[in-house]
Amino acid sequence: MKTLTKANTFLQKYLLPPQFFHWKTPLLISLFFFLISALEIKNQGLKHSLGDFSWLFFTIGVGWRTNQPPFLIRGISISPWIIGGLISIFLSGKLAFDRQALAVIFWPIISVCLAVIIKFINSGAKLEPTPPLIRPIFLIIILIHVLISCWLAFHFIIQGWLNEYPSVLANDFSKSSFVISLKPPSLTNSRGMLIIKLMEQQLNIKTRNQSWEKVEAWLIAMSRNQYLMRNEIFHKIPSLRENSKWELKTEIIQGQSRYQLRLLAVWHGLSNKPGGYTLSKFCEVTKMVNRATVVCQPIKMDNSSGKIRKIKGENQI
């Protein structure tokens, strides 16, 4: 009996609203729609609609509560920014994956619009000689939020570029006003390292357990058709826009019972090195009892000054 009394007291004090027009009411409605949507409903359209209604009433309840103390900071309610965030989360779930960034970009603008609406409602929804929307303080606030949206959009643009051109991260951004790299600049961040290693791997595959005649035929074909190695390599890595900025070369020198190869990956994209840079690996294919053995040196970089230096931390495959 005491347990039931305590449960009833808890429900009335913490869960049930003291009156119908209270911030707990939309939260209870939200909980109701959520529990219904959690049931096994065959109609997926109805199930999603119930989930949307649950999120709608949850947003109303949270916005209502955060518009009251202690969520007021010097008389300023944080409710518009919380509601704007919840609306943005809802929109991101409805947008396609490549469009979800729009929900984050428009979050400040949605929030400031809600702030103006709440201010208008709190003022009694009366038309004043100087409407709140055109007062200097509100114009400044609106413009600040538009600026924040622009910076968020710029962030996603830069991030999109880096996703399509990841080798740009090999550059030094210490003097950049827009891009902050948490990792020190290193050519190990360049996809050219992966390309060179795949070129060496392809060389090993084509020469392993093959007769010397077949190895020679493949090397001659590759020297005549430079796109042969390129096509094989770019079929093994993700297709990105930066692929067109890489030039793959294979320099072959024929000797007596041996071939000397220089595998080259030339970067023609954005770089803080004039003219880009070239990653290279020297390999030697030698005939041993009608079979081929391959020995390769570490990856090196040819910089604009013509000097060649070894890449730190590079190991052979």
Side-chain angles (χ1 to χ4, degrees):
M1 191 66 179
K2 290 183 178 180
T3 303
L4 293 176
T5 303
K6 289 182 179 179
N8 184 44
T9 303
F10 176 82
L11 287 173
Q12 292 183 355
K13 184 176 181 180
Y14 295 103
L15 297 181
L16 298 179
Q19 55 188 9
F20 181 77
F21 291 100
H22 193 269
W23 61 268
K24 292 181 181 180
T25 303
L27 291 181
L28 288 176
I29 297 175
S30 171
L31 179 61
F32 171 77
F33 278 117
F34 174 76
L35 293 176
I36 295 297
S37 66
L39 299 176
E40 293 185 4
I41 301 175
K42 295 182 178 180
N43 190 331
Q44 293 299 313
L46 176 60
K47 189 179 183 72
H48 292 157
S49 297
L50 291 171
D52 293 343
F53 277 114
S54 174
W55 190 263
L56 171 64
F57 282 100
F58 176 77
T59 302
I60 294 173
V62 171
W64 193 340
R65 180 65 184 96
T66 54
N67 197 38
Q68 303 171 2
F71 298 98
L72 299 177
I73 302 175
R74 295 185 178 181
I76 300 176
S77 173
I78 63 173
S79 178
W81 291 270
I82 295 178
I83 297 176
L86 294 174
I87 292 175
S88 296
I89 294 173
F90 175 79
L91 292 176
S92 66
K94 298 297 182 181
L95 295 172
F97 179 77
D98 58 341
R99 298 286 182 179
Q100 290 180 346
L102 292 174
V104 180
I105 292 171
F106 284 103
W107 167 57
I109 296 178
I110 294 172
S111 300
V112 74
C113 290
L114 290 172
V116 173
I117 293 172
I118 292 174
K119 177 65 176 178
F120 181 69
I121 294 174
N122 291 340
S123 65
K126 298 178 181 179
L127 295 177
E128 302 177 11
T130 306
L133 190 60
I134 62 174
R135 290 177 184 172
I137 184 64
F138 275 100
L139 287 176
I140 293 173
I141 292 175
I142 292 172
L143 292 176
I144 289 174
H145 283 72
V146 171
L147 179 62
I148 294 173
S149 289
C150 291
W151 275 107
L152 289 173
F154 183 68
H155 161 75
F156 285 109
I157 290 174
I158 294 293
Q159 194 60 45
W161 288 345
L162 294 179
N163 289 338
E164 288 295 330
Y165 299 90
S167 293
V168 174
L169 291 173
N171 293 299
D172 184 6
F173 292 100
S174 60
K175 297 182 180 179
S176 174
S177 302
F178 306 106
V179 181
I180 299 176
S181 180
L182 300 179
K183 297 181 179 179
S186 173
L187 282 174
T188 55
N189 298 327
S190 172
R191 289 173 83 228
M193 300 287 289
L194 172 63
I195 291 173
I196 289 291
K197 289 181 179 180
L198 287 176
M199 292 175 74
E200 179 187 359
Q201 187 181 74
Q202 188 71 5
L203 176 62
N204 285 321
I205 292 174
K206 292 295 184 178
T207 57
R208 186 183 302 127
N209 299 326
Q210 299 292 331
S211 65
W212 180 250
E213 289 76 14
K214 290 185 178 180
V215 171
E216 274 193 308
W218 180 77
L219 290 172
I220 293 171
M222 187 174 59
S223 65
R224 293 175 178 176
N225 185 3
Q226 290 291 322
Y227 287 97
L228 182 63
M229 176 72 81
R230 175 186 173 85
N231 294 336
E232 291 176 348
I233 295 302
F234 281 109
H235 274 96
K236 295 183 177 181
I237 61 177
S239 178
L240 298 178
R241 291 182 181 178
E242 83 158 36
N243 289 358
S244 61
K245 301 296 182 181
W246 283 106
E247 180 184 3
L248 276 58
K249 297 180 180 180
T250 306
E251 298 177 351
I252 302 177
I253 301 176
Q254 184 178 5
Q256 186 176 2
S257 299
R258 73 176 57 193
Y259 285 82
Q260 293 180 337
L261 289 81
R262 192 163 174 240
L263 309 177
L264 302 170
V266 185
W267 172 248
H268 294 294
L270 182 64
S271 174
N272 54 8
K273 299 176 176 61
Y277 56 86
T278 301
L279 298 177
S280 65
K281 178 183 279 283
F282 180 82
C283 297
E284 190 172 75
V285 182
T286 307
K287 178 182 178 181
M288 292 191 67
V289 194
N290 202 34
R291 296 291 178 181
T293 60
V294 179
V295 178
C296 292
Q297 296 179 1
I299 297 176
K300 297 179 181 180
M301 183 193 76
D302 302 345
N303 54 31
S304 58
S305 63
K307 296 180 181 179
I308 299 177
R309 65 178 179 84
K310 180 179 176 181
I311 306 298
K312 293 183 179 179
E314 158 60 10
N315 296 318
Q316 292 180 225
I317 293 178

